[in-house]
Amino acid sequence: MAKNHNDLWENCLNIIRDNVSPQSYKTWFEPIQPLKLIDSVLTIQVPSQFFYEWLEEHYITLLKKVVKKELGPEGRLEYSIIMENHTNSKQSYSVKLPTTDKKALVNPTVNMPIDLGGNKSIKNPFIIPGLKKVNIDSNLNPNYTFENFVEGDCNRLARSAGYAVAKNPGGTSFNPLMVYGSTGLGKTHLLHAIGIEIKKNFPNKTVLYVPSEKFINQFIDAVKSGSNNDFVNFYQLVDVLIIDDVQYLAGKEKTQDVFFHIFNHLHQNGKQLILSSDKPPVELQGMEQRLLSRFKWGLSADLQIPELETRIAILEKKIYNDGIELPKDVIEYLAYSITTNIRELEGALISLIAQSSLNKKEVTLDLAKKMIDKFVKNNAREVSIDYIQKVVCDYFELPIELMKSKTRKREVVQARQIAMYFAKNYTKSSLATIGAHCGGKDHATVLHACKTVNNLMETDKRFRAYVDELEKKINI
Ligand code: ADP
Ligand code: MG
């Protein structure tokens, strides 16, 4: 049995690692620090209240089991929560308060009317000059709600962090909240959902959503017309600032500079910032270091490619919202065929429905196949090793990382062998390439895998049924 808390926790982690996905492990277990072990009580340190609640909600059974296994029936687990407070940052910077209208700045109210007529008021860059009185329009798309944002492993962390922020904007350690992921995976949708939820929970808060391109253009206009102070002041009024696609700020030094000041002012005053980017902060090139370091103050959560079930759920939700019915096999076919981009997935669905109503034909699997062939050919899709691995992993409900890892767990080994078998039969890849994709195995292992699968198919009916079913899924 382990003597000290470090060894003990290490033992626990070894078990946990085998029981959760690598993504979950990295997100929820790596940040934990073992603190002490006194009698049979192990104390672990977690980074936030939210983190603790998440562990309690999702991993308590696993944690209990592991701790009891390591410490015996008396074993207990206690948490120590560190409260990070980034607001008291050591960094010093100054933000000029405008000489006019200080009261409004200190205590901004909702929908504050902004008078564009007088010199003393702050210009709202969203408004075409000439209008007299305006409210700050949040620019939120009412369809992009949390309710319409299907939850899956691919977005769980980002979604729940967004939800936590919406419950307590400016009051969690997720400030800024940075959502990143490649295109079409739901960043914009999630940002709007958070904004909408905040408006619902706190009708008095000023929420502002702005794509960064718009922010850049407004700033350029402000500079041209000599109203940059108004621009800054306007942005400093909001309670929740949501900026989409901050990667477009790369290389725009002046805009970054002004954004830096707005960021600091809001952050210092306990206002919430929510950002999105197509890359994680560390990979954002052309961005000033001081901004990057601020992006890392809060939480960066990624959106990943959705798993098959999530893709199906997204399609079903969309169909349901539109009041349409589609055969189950058609939905599954779409979800199998388009794997990496939710926007494309929705696009295919829309084309399919449009085609069927134009031609007055029922949506059948056959029509779907024809349509998808056209739709997906543009992307030059062919069956790839990755695709095969994805289908096999989805089928056996295994995280794809495990298949690509070296693990020898029985169910992974078998799934991996099946994937190798299909890769050999359906792609032009060499045995060595296939092996490299499947946990760094050599060509002999791949050959052996193919033999094993062939043998099993002859002797084991159930196994054969798996492989036949998988073959259909890969072939469509
Ligand atoms: P991004 O900003 O990352 O490029 P979007 O937010 O524009 O992606 O999402 C693309 C489309 O996919 C949108 O129509 C959005 O509603 C939809 N979508 C993305 N994620 C989900 C989800 N989890 N549930 C339902 N729809 C989603
Ligand atoms: Mg977007």
Side-chain angles (χ1 to χ4, degrees):
M1 196 156 118
K3 294 156 266 357
N4 68 38
H5 54 278
N6 286 324
D7 294 347
L8 181 89
W9 183 239
E10 198 50 50
N11 292 349
C12 294
L13 284 181
N14 285 336
I15 307 175
I16 291 169
R17 207 178 284 122
D18 282 341
N19 284 285
V20 302
S21 73
Q23 169 73 13
S24 310
Y25 181 80
K26 198 158 167 267
T27 312
W28 299 110
F29 295 96
E30 273 183 7
I32 297 175
Q33 298 282 342
L35 279 190
K36 57 185 181 209
L37 173 63
I38 295 174
D39 298 330
S40 291
V41 183
L42 171 70
T43 308
I44 56 174
Q45 178 175 287
V46 297
S48 66
Q49 176 74 21
F50 171 76
F51 201 102
Y52 154 74
E53 283 166 13
W54 183 277
L55 286 176
E56 282 281 291
E57 197 177 325
H58 297 270
Y59 296 110
I60 188 61
T61 326
L62 175 62
L63 280 169
K64 257 193 199 151
K65 265 199 202 135
V66 173
V67 167
K68 296 230 187 282
K69 178 162 184 300
E70 289 299 315
L71 283 173
E74 297 298 300
R76 274 200 304 125
L77 187 65
E78 282 190 5
Y79 299 86
S80 155
I81 302 168
I82 2 170
M83 291 293 174
E84 281 173 84
N85 190 355
H86 297 297
T87 318
N88 303 328
S89 149
K90 282 148 252 117
Q91 225 92 11
S92 69
Y93 43 81
S94 64
V95 177
K96 276 198 205 108
L97 281 176
T99 45
T100 56
D101 215 355
K102 259 191 192 150
K103 226 171 99 210
L105 256 180
V106 177
N107 192 12
T109 46
V110 225
N111 293 338
M112 186 183 338
I114 296 187
D115 180 3
L116 292 172
N119 301 334
K120 285 188 180 163
S121 59
I122 296 169
K123 276 217 183 84
N124 176 343
F126 285 90
I127 296 307
I128 307 138
L131 285 180
K132 278 283 176 210
K133 295 213 173 207
V134 288
N135 294 331
I136 295 182
D137 180 348
S138 295
N139 293 325
L140 293 168
N141 177 342
N143 294 323
Y144 282 167
T145 55
F146 268 114
E147 203 184 28
N148 288 337
F149 191 77
V150 173
E151 182 173 352
D153 286 343
C154 56
N155 61 34
R156 192 157 284 128
L157 171 65
R159 190 182 188 281
S160 51
Y163 208 73
V165 164
K167 272 198 192 144
N168 188 7
T172 68
S173 52
F174 308 153
N175 198 13
L177 174 62
M178 163 73 100
V179 176
Y180 67 90
S182 39
T183 180
L185 293 184
K187 299 181 295 294
T188 299
H189 187 143
L190 183 58
L191 259 48
H192 280 269
I194 301 169
I196 291 170
E197 193 69 17
I198 294 177
K199 285 301 278 183
K200 203 166 91 193
N201 295 340
F202 306 91
N204 286 344
K205 287 206 188 287
T206 325
V207 177
L208 181 60
Y209 167 89
V210 58
S212 72
E213 301 99 306
K214 191 160 187 173
F215 183 86
I216 295 165
N217 288 333
Q218 285 175 348
F219 177 63
I220 294 172
D221 288 346
V223 172
K224 273 192 203 143
S225 63
S227 56
N228 3 358
N229 283 343
D230 287 339
F231 175 84
V232 174
N233 292 336
F234 171 79
Y235 273 95
Q236 290 180 344
L237 282 176
V238 302
D239 295 312
V240 178
L241 180 59
I242 306 175
I243 302 206
D244 206 354
D245 290 319
V246 292
Q247 73 272 9
Y248 293 124
L249 296 179
K252 307 250 176 349
E253 280 167 34
K254 293 248 164 57
T255 318
Q256 286 184 35
D257 199 45
V258 78
F259 178 53
F260 178 75
H261 286 293
I262 293 168
F263 184 108
N264 286 338
H265 180 90
L266 293 176
H267 199 272
Q268 239 185 0
N269 286 286
K271 304 299 165 70
Q272 179 73 44
L273 290 123
I274 305 164
L275 314 169
S276 85
S277 158
D278 67 351
K279 306 177 191 65
V282 282
E283 287 171 24
L284 278 172
Q285 308 224 320
M287 203 68 95
E288 280 183 46
Q289 209 46 48
R290 54 181 190 165
L291 256 187
L292 285 183
S293 78
R294 269 155 186 75
F295 290 170
K296 292 183 211 150
W297 276 356
L299 177 77
S300 302
D302 64 336
L303 294 177
Q304 298 187 339
I305 293 171
E307 325 68 59
L308 179 67
E309 302 89 80
T310 313
R311 299 200 295 275
I312 293 178
I314 289 171
L315 288 172
E316 281 174 343
K317 176 130 229 158
K318 182 111 192 91
I319 293 164
Y320 178 83
N321 283 349
D322 291 352
I324 301 164
E325 274 182 32
L326 275 189
K328 181 103 183 133
D329 57 352
V330 172
I331 297 173
E332 285 181 352
Y333 179 69
L334 284 180
Y336 274 119
S337 312
I338 299 176
T339 53
T340 56
N341 183 323
I342 302 173
R343 190 177 299 120
E344 277 179 13
L345 190 63
E346 285 186 346
L349 177 68
I350 293 164
S351 317
L352 185 60
I353 293 167
Q355 274 226 354
S356 100
S357 67
L358 282 177
N359 303 337
K360 304 212 163 36
K361 272 195 205 154
E362 285 236 349
V363 182
T364 58
L365 188 56
D366 211 39
L367 180 66
K369 283 188 179 174
K370 283 195 188 117
M371 208 275 313
I372 287 279
D373 274 352
K374 270 190 238 149
F375 195 85
V376 191
K377 246 182 210 136
N378 300 335
N379 302 348
R381 188 177 77 95
E382 59 177 66
V383 180
S384 63
I385 303 178
D386 284 339
Y387 178 70
I388 289 170
Q389 288 181 321
K390 182 94 195 141
V391 174
V392 175
C393 284
D394 281 344
Y395 186 76
F396 290 111
E397 294 184 345
L398 288 175
I400 194 140
E401 296 83 358
L402 271 189
M403 172 167 294
K404 295 185 186 225
S405 77
K406 293 197 187 301
T407 178
R408 288 168 197 264
K409 280 170 73 176
R410 199 173 160 273
E411 71 272 22
V412 182
V413 170
Q414 193 151 75
R416 197 189 282 131
Q417 287 180 330
I418 295 177
M420 289 175 175
Y421 163 86
F422 281 122
K424 173 157 183 303
N425 290 341
Y426 285 104
T427 72
K428 298 191 187 78
S429 309
S430 69
L431 294 174
T433 309
I434 296 172
H437 269 73
C438 299
K441 309 287 180 200
D442 61 15
H443 78 282
T445 312
V446 180
L447 216 50
H448 173 72
C450 296
K451 273 198 201 125
T452 310
V453 172
N454 275 322
N455 284 343
L456 277 173
M457 285 212 299
E458 275 167 28
T459 51
D460 182 338
K461 263 198 197 140
R462 221 170 64 134
F463 184 84
R464 173 157 205 131
Y466 286 154
V467 177
D468 284 348
E469 207 177 326
L470 271 167
E471 183 156 34
K472 276 192 212 122
K473 291 186 197 296
I474 289 168
N475 263 326
I476 53 176

